[in-house]
Amino acid sequence: MKLVFASHNKGKIQEVKDILGPLGIEVEPIPEDFPEIEENGTSFEENAKIKARAVCHATGLPAVADDSGLTVDALDGFPGIHSARWAGPDTTAQERNLLLLEKMLAVPDGQRGADFVCVAACVFPDGQEMTVRGQCRGTILHEEHGTGGFGYDPIFCVPEFGCTFGELEQEVKNAISHRARAFTALGSALRTKLEEGE
Ligand code: IMP
């Protein structure tokens, strides 16, 4: 089986190849000049499906897309699907982190739980669709720790490791991340589908 993956991000493409390759699933990225897909859904699931449908429709091949973000308990799931852009299109990741920490100034320890969420969708040319979700539970610190990773990594503390995603080795983060969990679940779902001979 050959899949097109709706991303230009080399790290993500490699992660998907590493997980799906051993299952005999060939993964190729979308062409460089693929037009921007408008993510106007109201959930991670909808946005991932919107992207996967657009790529499947354009290429005629099974297509995979993912959508991810941070959901903070004390902020009713905010920033959620708006994680990349809620503070404006030109803000840096560090500015977003500081703005988020400001919103949480009054939130005491013990109520600072959050999840990184990743939903992967796969859409097939015959119209079949599947989505799987991967989550990673943690807490939001009061200031940034570590300089690794990207986005909200420096303020997201993983209790099992007692440090932030920004302080973890990239390989360790990649092994336990919401994205790894979603893609691993996708691999299992696709293997089941292949074994059923569909
Ligand atoms: P996308 O699904 O790649 O568009 O990611 C949406 C946004 O969620 C990113 O721009 C980040 O702000 C945030 N995000 C998703 N995954 C991670 C992660 O592993 N670490 C830090 N931030 C993340």
Side-chain angles (χ1 to χ4, degrees), residues 12 67-69 83-84 116 150-153 173 178-179:
K12 269 193 195 179
D67 195 44
S68 61
S83 291
F116 266 127
F150 70 100
Y152 300 98
D153 283 350
K173 179 193 164 185
H178 45 307
R179 228 177 325 281

